[in-house]
Amino acid sequence: MQTRESVLEKFSTFLQFDTDWVSRWVSDPKLQRSMKNCLAQSSQSQQISEHFWALYWHKIWQTQSNHLSAAHLTAYLQEVSYWTAKKMMLTFSSSQSFADLFQISLTKIEKILAKFEPQQGVTLEKYASLVFRSIIRDELRQRREVDICSDWGLLHKLSQKKLLESLRYQGLKSETINELLKAWKCFQTIFVPTEARNSRKIPEPDPAIWTAITQLYNKQSTQKPLTSEQVKKLLETGAKMARSYLYPKFVSVDAPKPGFEQGTFLDDLPATFDESLLSEIIAQEEAENRNQMRSLLNAVLLRALVKLDVPSQKLLQLYYGQGLTQQEIAQQLEMKQYTVSRRLASHRQSLLLTLAQWSQTTLHYSLNTDVLNNMSIILEEWLKVHYNHPDQA
DNA sequence: GCATCGATAAGTGCCTCTCA
DNA sequence: TGAGAGGCACTTATCGATGC
């Protein structure tokens, strides 16, 4: 992809896709006129950076919320979206098309503009990059999960609201929707999966369960009684409609294999497919998160560290810098091993708290156990590097 | 304004457990 | 087996409420 050079281009051109690949930059005449006017009115336009114009259009968007400012910013973030989508595609070996990943991120522009806070010291480009990654990752994970879900797993975890939306979307008559919903409620009432640990692997209910579901259904229905096979078909139809409604662009893996009356792509999936792939994704994600956080939070940690009193800094220096054991430090400082342990833990906790607060307010990270665990790992690594190779920290 | 009291948080000591 | 951390009990520091 050829990168855009001028500010005018950056705020008025969009990527055009040829099949699934980027072919060229296309200029939007309206945005081009608007940007030219702005540049002409600014006597120092040559010196003003793209970051200024990003902040300028963001300010306009915040105060007036007009389409023009959003369009300028969407044009500006094309490259960020491009590189993020490309990186995520390589990282996750995604089966989704590049154009899809690119579009997925750009559909959330409004959300990014709403949450971006320039005063936090992060550029819009950097902030968008972080959010795009998160959006694509979540979308991939969600799609992967549903794609490999069995009909029964999908039906089991669907909410009534989503199922109803799916059926209405398919244009079914209200009587048919009611019958399907009734069958689904009976399914939810009677069927309790034995493999509750992993809803995606939920197998088909056994014949006795189908009989019970059918009996309950017929008891509640005023229509002609159905057989177990008919109730099963009804629910399978519901599952397929929900799948196609929730994820319309992608071919479901439980669709019949071409040329075969029976059997689905789902049947061909190895039993460990989802777990290994998800573990891989999560591992890569954690490693990437750690690297990204390390560079971003370096300055924050340095500031937090110099705020500690001298004895605390000496304790950290002895432990992380000189590599002394807690027992050795205890002898040197004339205290007990457990006091050294407690103080080290206390300092780590204090630094972790600083990190967490900064991440929450600046990057809008939602703090959960995983995020805090990652931060804790980063902190530990950072302390070792800082006290041994300060230039690399 | 000052002294007292109670609640709470933080620190410490001892012992023990977990893990590599 | 040694390093490090956690549980429990106790002490100390801090802070707000109350009474004089």
Side-chain angles (χ1 to χ4, degrees), chain A residues 294-346:
Chain A
R294 193 178 291 118
S295 60
L296 280 171
L297 302 177
N298 192 31
V300 180
L301 283 172
L302 279 173
R303 279 201 298 273
L305 210 54
V306 296
K307 282 183 186 168
L308 292 177
D309 56 26
V310 176
S312 302
Q313 291 192 28
K314 187 177 181 186
L315 186 67
L316 291 168
Q317 165 64 28
L318 290 173
Y319 187 72
Y320 290 105
Q322 298 186 24
L324 299 186
T325 65
Q326 292 184 358
Q327 191 60 49
E328 288 167 337
I329 295 171
Q331 283 169 357
Q332 195 167 326
L333 301 180
E334 295 180 332
M335 57 176 74
K336 300 286 186 183
Q337 172 268 322
Y338 43 78
T339 306
V340 174
S341 173
R342 291 250 161 80
R343 288 188 183 173
L344 282 171
S346 168

Side-chain angles (χ1 to χ4, degrees), chain A residues 14-206:
Chain A
F14 294 87
L15 280 171
Q16 188 178 60
F17 282 80
D18 180 11
T19 59
D20 188 36
W21 212 246
V22 174
S23 63
R24 63 195 175 103
W25 290 102
V26 177
S27 176
D28 182 300
K30 193 177 169 187
L31 293 184
Q32 199 173 36
R33 275 199 305 277
S34 157
M35 203 59 212
K36 271 183 181 170
N37 285 338
C38 289
L39 290 168
Q41 284 170 24
S42 169
S43 57
Q44 299 169 321
S45 61
Q46 296 304 312
Q47 284 79 43
I48 295 176
S49 70
E50 62 185 76
H51 301 300
F52 166 84
W53 289 110
L55 291 176
Y56 170 79
W57 286 118
H58 183 252
K59 190 76 185 168
I60 300 278
W61 183 86
Q62 276 185 318
T63 52
Q64 301 170 19
S65 195
N66 62 16
H67 293 306
L68 186 69
S69 52
H72 277 303
L73 291 168
T74 306
Y76 175 61
L77 295 174
Q78 295 282 297
E79 271 155 334
V80 180
S81 179
Y82 172 90
W83 290 114
T84 309
K86 191 166 187 175
K87 192 174 175 188
M88 298 299 273
M89 201 163 176
L90 292 172
T91 305
F92 293 152
S93 303
S94 171
S95 59
Q96 317 304 339
S97 75
F98 175 71
D100 277 332
L101 296 188
F102 179 78
Q103 290 301 334
I104 284 168
S105 54
L106 284 176
T107 55
K108 307 290 182 184
I109 284 276
E110 298 267 333
K111 185 180 166 187
I112 290 165
L113 298 182
K115 295 203 169 180
F116 173 60
E117 292 177 30
Q119 64 271 24
Q120 298 286 354
V122 178
T123 64
L124 176 63
E125 211 175 0
K126 186 73 190 168
Y127 178 72
S129 167
L130 289 171
V131 180
F132 282 160
R133 284 164 53 82
S134 172
I135 289 166
I136 293 174
R137 191 182 57 224
D138 289 349
E139 190 74 15
L140 283 177
R141 180 180 288 165
Q142 204 176 17
R143 287 184 176 182
R144 177 80 59 195
E145 186 177 53
V146 170
D147 281 352
I148 60 177
C149 208
S150 70
D151 278 354
W152 319 114
L154 183 59
L155 283 172
H156 187 69
K157 71 178 187 180
L158 257 187
S159 67
Q160 183 173 330
K161 188 183 166 196
K162 282 286 174 201
L163 178 61
L164 199 57
E165 278 175 20
S166 310
L167 300 178
R168 283 181 180 153
Y169 179 79
Q170 302 292 339
L172 295 183
K173 290 178 185 171
S174 58
E175 306 92 77
T176 314
I177 291 177
N178 288 340
E179 291 309 304
L180 226 155
L181 267 183
K182 207 176 290 172
W184 175 77
K185 283 179 185 169
C186 295
F187 172 82
Q188 291 282 39
T189 307
I190 302 287
F191 182 50
V192 181
T194 51
E195 293 182 34
R197 214 164 40 86
N198 188 345
S199 65
R200 297 191 300 277
K201 286 183 178 175
I202 290 174
E204 183 187 332
D206 59 38

Side-chain angles (χ1 to χ4, degrees), chain A residues 226-276:
Chain A
L226 297 183
T227 64
S228 294
E229 198 56 36
Q230 286 170 320
V231 172
K232 184 178 156 187
K233 285 276 178 210
L234 196 58
L235 285 166
E236 281 175 339
T237 307
K240 281 186 173 46
M241 287 180 172
R243 200 188 296 279
S244 89
Y245 169 71
L246 293 170
Y247 302 95
K249 290 181 189 171
F250 301 91
V251 177
S252 167
V253 292
D254 71 342
K257 288 188 283 187
F260 293 86
E261 286 294 318
Q262 292 184 330
T264 66
F265 288 116
L266 191 65
D267 299 330
D268 291 343
L269 291 176
T272 57
F273 171 77
D274 54 334
E275 285 181 3
S276 60

